[in-house]
Amino acid sequence: MFSKLHCPGRLVAGASAGSKPVLARSVGSLPPRQAQVSDVGKTINRTSVTSFFQHLPRISSQLPAKDEEYKLPTPFRDGFRSESAVGAHPVASAIPRNRDEFWRKVPVWQDVSVTDFLSYRWSISNTVQGTAKLLRFLQAVVPDLVPLDRSRTQMQTREEFIKDVLDGVTAATMAIRMTPYVLSRVNWEDPRHDPIVRQFLPMKSLMIPDHPKLALDSLHETADSPVKGLVHRYPDKALFLPTSVCPTYCMFCTRSYAVGADTDTVTKASLKPTRKRWEEAFAYIESQPGLHDIVVSGGDSYYLQPEQLRLIGERLISMPNIKRFRFASKGLAVAPSRVLDESDGWVNALIDMSNKAKKAGKSMALHTHFNHPNEISWISRDASQKLFEAGVMVRNQAVLLRGVNDDFETMSTLIRDLADNHIFPYYIYQCDMVERVEHLRTPLQTILDLEAKMRGSIAGFMMPSFVVDLPGGGGKRLACSFHSYDRETGVSKYTAPAVTGRDKENKVYEYYDPISSLQGDGEPKI
């Protein structure tokens, strides 16, 4: 039978009208100090772009081989200027007192000072990357016995847990890289059920067979790219991918076909930050008068050097057709100390671009990616406050993940915590149909029920849009805007009238629930 659910005029098969839905912090600023500044905000043309790239260190244009550590260029070598030569903004000059030094609970960092932990350079040098470093880290922090189920009636040994993770790494599509901040937010007494571990550390025992309809590049980004690293799907918006490196790699990355180092299962179509590729993208953007909005992602904008971020920002500001642009970065969620670190110039470049955009009558925003309240600490709150005081618009895009944030209490807490920290909850995404993460996907019904229960519980302007990024390149649609949804087959159907390229006009797009969630089928263990 069909019955109305959530959106007027939308019908769901196999659901009844009475279906039961699935089930603030204060912010302070640190004492500011005005650092030395110099004006580097000059108009950048193609000649200066060429000159800039001639001085780029080779290492920033190459991805690491499997298990090889990525060497981040610093402003103190390879032709980059020292931080004293880069524009700066008020930053924290004193270490805050009476703050929880939570990282000391991790045995390998029990003697790390606040000063060191807040250093972005220290964070980079202590990032856990590759299987060898991961093995050493897990051997040092995982207890002798690990709960196998949530009720703690069954246990597994440390060796069994570590083997499960390493087997998962072998099967996964994403390489391993986790910052000290992320690793310090984990409950290592029960890592198997920790919401942060579930996002970044694959466990082979949790994986279930992929849905037969999914694909590595499920959103058809490559097919929608007129030039490499530039996805143009919507009439007035494009996605620019200047790099394919991130500070931390998510298991469920929709761009697993390109992002990060090669794995045992995927040879990546890497997007190296080369002058030729960037110039082709800029030239295409300038040639499209209907383009007004650019998302700069990757990879992650956190892995752009300050000079690169300025270059991209100033180039976009100089284009008459571009009215808005955003830098997408998970950095605020996985390495927030960079925003507070006086010796690093990334945030100063971001603030400068925000101010220059405003003076030009345009807007710049930072889009970040928190998925669980446990990712938020006093460090991320202070970093968010700094951006707020500097006038930088910050929005969040979360992904709905099974066993992480697919219940009302967790998701509503996340949204309120973000709002309290001046981060606008922008999107909640249905998890994309990508390989090796079927155990993290939820049926569409979950996101529909969450939205229905949450609507009215928080101010409307802080209520995110619950969306599905349609497989096949249909773009984002409100989850509740389906034309039909059959709970028995798990198939929901959508149209995207505004997306017409590549013979997409009048195309019907389908999203598929996990087979394990269909009626009469068993659920995978979590």
Side-chain angles (χ1 to χ4, degrees):
M1 64 178 288
F2 287 87
S3 62
K4 293 183 180 179
L5 184 65
H6 306 306
C7 281
R10 304 304 177 205
L11 301 179
V12 180
S16 64
S19 296
K20 185 178 180 180
V22 179
L23 294 180
R25 310 167 187 253
S26 62
V27 180
S29 60
L30 299 177
R33 182 184 70 180
Q34 181 63 49
Q36 296 297 316
V37 300
S38 63
D39 183 16
V40 294
K42 297 180 180 180
T43 302
I44 292 183
N45 53 31
R46 294 187 180 181
T47 301
S48 59
V49 171
T50 301
S51 174
F52 167 80
F53 273 102
Q54 288 174 345
H55 292 87
L56 263 180
R58 292 181 181 179
I59 193 70
S60 68
S61 64
Q62 296 181 3
L63 286 171
K66 182 170 53 180
D67 290 349
E68 179 184 345
E69 184 175 2
Y70 180 85
K71 303 296 185 182
L72 178 71
T74 72
F76 300 93
R77 69 168 185 266
D78 297 331
F80 282 96
R81 291 165 291 181
S82 68
E83 211 46 51
S84 62
V86 178
H89 293 270
V91 288
S93 60
I95 299 300
R97 297 180 179 181
N98 301 321
R99 298 295 182 96
D100 176 26
E101 298 180 10
F102 51 84
W103 59 89
R104 291 183 184 269
K105 298 175 184 177
V106 182
V108 296
W109 296 319
Q110 60 185 357
D111 297 323
V112 175
S113 67
V114 177
T115 302
D116 284 342
F117 195 78
L118 291 182
S119 164
Y120 184 62
R121 180 172 293 184
W122 181 91
S123 177
I124 289 296
S125 63
N126 287 276
T127 291
V128 173
Q129 176 171 310
T131 54
K133 285 188 175 181
L134 177 63
L135 175 59
R136 291 195 297 271
F137 180 84
L138 293 178
Q139 288 173 334
V141 303
V142 176
D144 293 338
L145 294 176
V146 174
L148 191 59
D149 59 358
R150 293 188 184 277
S151 62
R152 295 174 177 258
T153 58
Q154 301 180 64
M155 307 293 283
Q156 64 178 166
T157 65
R158 175 198 294 119
E159 291 71 25
E160 290 171 334
F161 174 79
I162 292 176
K163 183 180 185 302
D164 194 7
V165 171
L166 295 182
D167 288 345
V169 171
T170 300
T173 61
M174 296 299 295
I176 293 296
R177 176 185 282 144
M178 297 178 71
T179 62
Y181 179 84
V182 168
L183 291 165
S184 67
R185 303 301 295 169
V186 171
N187 174 17
W188 289 107
E189 294 301 313
D190 187 10
R192 186 177 177 87
H193 303 103
D194 185 87
I196 295 176
V197 167
R198 285 181 64 84
Q199 298 179 62
F200 304 112
L201 281 184
M203 284 174 269
K204 187 65 166 63
S205 64
L206 296 182
M207 293 182 179
I208 57 178
D210 289 338
H211 195 287
K213 292 290 188 178
L214 62 70
L216 188 63
D217 181 8
S218 66
L219 304 184
H220 290 196
E221 290 187 337
T222 303
D224 285 335
S225 298
V227 298
K228 187 173 182 179
L230 186 82
V231 183
H232 189 187
R233 177 176 297 139
Y234 303 97
D236 70 339
K237 184 180 76 174
L239 170 67
F240 177 37
L241 308 173
T243 181
S244 52
V245 182
C246 301
T248 292
Y249 293 130
C250 307
M251 280 198 306
F252 50 91
C253 179
T254 191
R255 220 155 281 135
S256 56
Y257 67 90
V259 169
D262 292 346
T263 67
D264 288 346
T265 59
V266 181
T267 300
K268 302 302 176 82
S270 63
L271 299 168
K272 298 177 181 179
T274 63
R275 179 188 63 81
K276 182 177 183 296
R277 189 174 70 79
W278 282 23
E279 268 302 321
E280 289 175 349
F282 290 146
Y284 178 83
I285 294 171
E286 288 176 317
S287 73
Q288 302 294 310
L291 265 183
H292 305 306
D293 193 338
I294 301 296
V295 180
V296 183
S297 186
D300 195 301
S301 293
Y302 234 45
Y303 254 80
L304 295 172
Q305 290 298 300
E307 291 83 357
Q308 293 173 310
L309 191 143
R310 291 176 189 275
L311 183 151
I312 293 172
E314 292 187 350
R315 188 66 180 269
L316 293 175
I317 291 170
S318 72
M319 297 180 188
N321 57 319
I322 300 304
K323 309 301 182 185
R324 297 166 295 279
F325 61 99
R326 326 98 179 252
F327 287 102
S329 173
K330 197 173 174 66
L332 194 59
V334 300
S337 62
R338 187 175 199 184
V339 175
L340 301 174
D341 189 345
E342 293 188 37
S343 67
D344 185 86
W346 189 89
V347 71
N348 296 324
L350 183 77
I351 293 171
D352 281 348
M353 292 305 97
S354 175
N355 291 335
K356 286 191 174 186
K358 290 174 183 175
K359 289 179 180 178
K362 303 183 179 186
S363 63
M364 188 221 79
L366 174 66
H367 282 199
T368 192
H369 180 186
F370 289 87
N371 282 332
H372 194 276
N374 289 1
E375 298 165 17
I376 300 174
S377 73
W378 63 265
I379 301 176
S380 49
R381 288 195 293 271
D382 287 349
S384 299
Q385 177 69 17
K386 178 176 178 178
L387 293 171
F388 176 67
E389 291 181 9
V392 176
M393 169 65 73
V394 184
R395 304 184 185 102
N396 190 73
Q397 300 181 167
V399 177
L400 182 64
L401 299 169
R402 189 170 186 269
V404 174
N405 55 15
D406 60 334
D407 62 280
F408 173 78
E409 181 178 357
T410 300
M411 186 61 78
S412 60
T413 299
L414 173 64
I415 290 173
R416 291 179 183 280
D417 284 357
L418 291 170
D420 289 349
N421 286 286
H422 317 294
I423 300 173
F424 282 82
Y426 181 34
Y427 279 140
I428 306 296
Y429 281 95
Q430 181 75 359
C431 186
D432 290 331
M433 297 180 64
V434 294
E435 295 181 7
R436 305 294 192 275
V437 296
E438 195 71 354
H439 62 291
L440 292 176
R441 290 204 305 125
T442 67
L444 184 71
Q445 190 65 51
T446 302
I447 198 170
L448 298 175
D449 291 340
L450 278 174
E451 180 181 12
K453 190 169 185 179
M454 205 166 295
R455 181 72 62 184
S457 69
I458 191 170
F461 61 88
M462 284 297 180
M463 182 70 177
S465 294
F466 292 73
V467 299
V468 179
D469 211 342
L470 298 176
K476 290 177 281 292
R477 303 294 293 171
L478 290 175
C480 66
S481 66
F482 53 81
H483 284 259
S484 65
Y485 176 29
D486 191 324
R487 286 287 286 122
E488 293 186 2
T489 64
V491 180
S492 50
K493 297 184 178 184
Y494 296 82
T495 57
V499 179
T500 58
R502 288 199 303 114
D503 300 321
K504 294 180 182 180
E505 193 167 357
N506 299 320
K507 181 176 179 178
V508 176
Y509 299 88
E510 295 182 338
Y511 183 85
Y512 300 87
D513 288 351
I515 292 176
S516 62
S517 71
L518 301 183
Q519 296 177 6
D521 229 302
E523 290 282 337
K525 293 186 297 182
I526 62 169

